[in-house]
Amino acid sequence: MSKLHPATDSALLVGPETADDAGVYRLSADLALVETVDIITPLVDDPYTFGRIAAANALSDVYAMGGKPVTALNLAFFPACSMPAELLSYILAGGQSMLAEAGVCLTGGHTVEDDELKYGLSVTGTIHPDRIVRNSTAKVGDSLYLTKPIGFGIISTAIKADMADKGVIDEAVRWMTTLNDRASQLMIECGANACTDVTGFGLIGHACEMARGAGVSIRLNIDDIPVVNGVQELIRDGLIPAGCYRNRDYFGSSVTIDSRFTVHDAPVIPLFDPQTSGGLLIAVASESCARFEREASRRGVAAVCIGEVVSSDKDSVILR
């Protein structure tokens, strides 16, 4: 039997080529599937909250494409010899509560005995083939909006070191358990040109992917980028995750920084911080910005303008 490569299947509308947030496969002229999977290790001590964060994180990829998540499968990796089974029950209950909030049907799942605890979901959504919002279609003149603050990876590192204040943890958890559904619906209604959710590659990494995919340059205004309260203090205490340094090493060469900063300075470090269940980074055409901002305020979507698409002659990110 011959192997079917993704590039030969005309029904595959979005594959891995542009590192988009989910795959999209056409079923008919007016229906396509949005498919994604995401698995994470614990970020917080409470297992129920961990389950909620993991589910929100997995659902986000469908929202980033402009899709509607419909079904989900649990994927759990559990050290049965060293942890009580009740712990897994709490995690799954947390995931189920988030799926219920999103109106998504849990259809099953799979558990593997493993040395390290991990949990996530495979999510399937639906979308019209002509209404896909990609990460590679930003246009010069677009304004860029971010719908959640950054710094979750730094806070998670502080939690593991038992050095995070309760108020900082509570704020991060509130954001990580906030679905991106309303932000997604808003961008669809306002005809956003492009979108990605900010996750493991950090804000800079995902902005670089957006720039490369569209062949444009993106300018981000450092002072406008929202950061969770307390993150700068944690940076000064040295609580920076290894993933932050990896993102900086990998994407740093694609970044041009205003002379008042370097990639090593505290205000810049959160921009490389790997996020879990982060916000959407949305490119909105200039003529739609007023409506987008007005509706975001009315609906309680925390959309902050943090930059713009400025040039079509490079594929880089400019920090100023």
Side-chain angles (χ1 to χ4, degrees):
M1 180 182 296
S2 62
K3 183 177 180 181
L4 181 64
H5 295 283
T8 68
D9 192 334
S10 61
L12 182 65
L13 303 181
V14 180
E17 294 79 15
T18 57
D20 222 320
D21 296 294
V24 182
Y25 191 87
R26 185 181 61 241
L27 295 180
S28 66
D30 58 0
L31 179 64
L33 296 180
V34 185
E35 298 182 300
T36 185
V37 61
D38 215 314
I39 301 167
I40 61 173
T41 55
L43 302 163
V44 294
D45 295 329
D46 179 65
Y48 183 85
T49 302
F50 168 51
R52 285 180 56 80
I53 293 171
N57 181 64
L59 293 167
S60 182
D61 286 338
V62 176
Y63 292 131
M65 305 297 295
K68 174 181 173 55
V70 177
T71 64
L73 293 165
N74 278 325
L75 296 167
F77 298 77
F78 191 71
C81 294
S82 59
M83 291 185 177
E86 291 79 8
L87 187 68
L88 180 58
S89 297
Y90 286 125
I91 293 170
L92 297 179
Q96 174 60 54
S97 74
M98 185 57 74
L99 293 179
E101 184 177 325
V104 174
C105 178
L106 180 68
T107 59
H110 188 66
T111 302
V112 177
E113 186 171 348
D114 197 4
D115 293 336
E116 183 180 28
L117 173 61
K118 296 179 283 288
Y119 171 61
L121 302 98
S122 172
V123 182
T124 299
T126 58
I127 196 168
H128 192 287
D130 297 333
R131 297 170 188 163
I132 303 166
V133 185
R134 306 169 191 256
N135 72 346
S136 57
T137 48
K139 299 179 180 179
V140 174
D142 287 352
S143 291
L144 294 171
Y145 291 86
L146 181 64
T147 65
K148 291 184 185 181
I150 57 177
F152 305 150
I154 292 167
I155 294 171
S156 298
T157 300
I159 292 172
K160 293 172 184 176
D162 198 23
M163 294 181 65
D165 292 339
K166 183 179 184 301
V168 174
I169 297 172
D170 289 348
E171 183 182 356
V173 166
R174 177 173 66 84
W175 284 113
M176 288 189 286
T177 54
T178 297
L179 291 170
N180 283 324
D181 54 348
R182 289 183 299 164
S184 177
Q185 185 59 41
L186 176 60
M187 76 169 182
I188 294 167
E189 292 178 12
C190 292
N193 285 328
C195 178
T196 187
D197 66 338
V198 180
T199 50
F201 291 153
L203 175 61
I204 290 292
H206 290 285
C208 283
E209 289 186 334
M210 183 178 282
R212 290 172 183 171
V216 299
S217 288
I218 285 173
R219 184 168 63 209
L220 300 179
N221 305 317
I222 296 175
D223 295 338
D224 294 334
I225 297 170
V227 180
V228 179
N229 293 324
V231 164
Q232 290 298 333
E233 289 79 4
L234 295 176
I235 290 173
R236 286 195 288 270
D237 290 336
L239 295 165
I240 303 171
C244 189
Y245 294 117
R246 287 194 294 269
N247 286 340
R248 189 178 67 185
D249 291 344
Y250 185 81
F251 293 105
S253 61
S254 298
V255 178
T256 302
I257 305 180
D258 185 286
S259 59
R260 63 191 174 122
F261 294 117
T262 74
V263 293
H264 305 288
D265 290 337
V268 178
I269 288 174
L271 280 62
F272 292 98
D273 185 39
Q275 305 300 285
T276 299
S277 190
L280 301 184
L281 180 63
I282 306 170
V284 179
S286 58
E287 62 269 21
S288 300
C289 288
R291 178 190 175 196
F292 183 88
E293 293 178 7
R294 182 176 63 251
E295 285 299 307
S297 177
R298 186 179 71 82
R299 302 181 194 189
V301 175
V304 178
C305 185
I306 64 167
E308 51 276 323
V309 181
V310 294
S311 173
S312 59
D313 61 351
K314 298 176 67 176
D315 54 355
S316 63
V317 172
I318 303 163
L319 298 179
R320 69 171 186 183

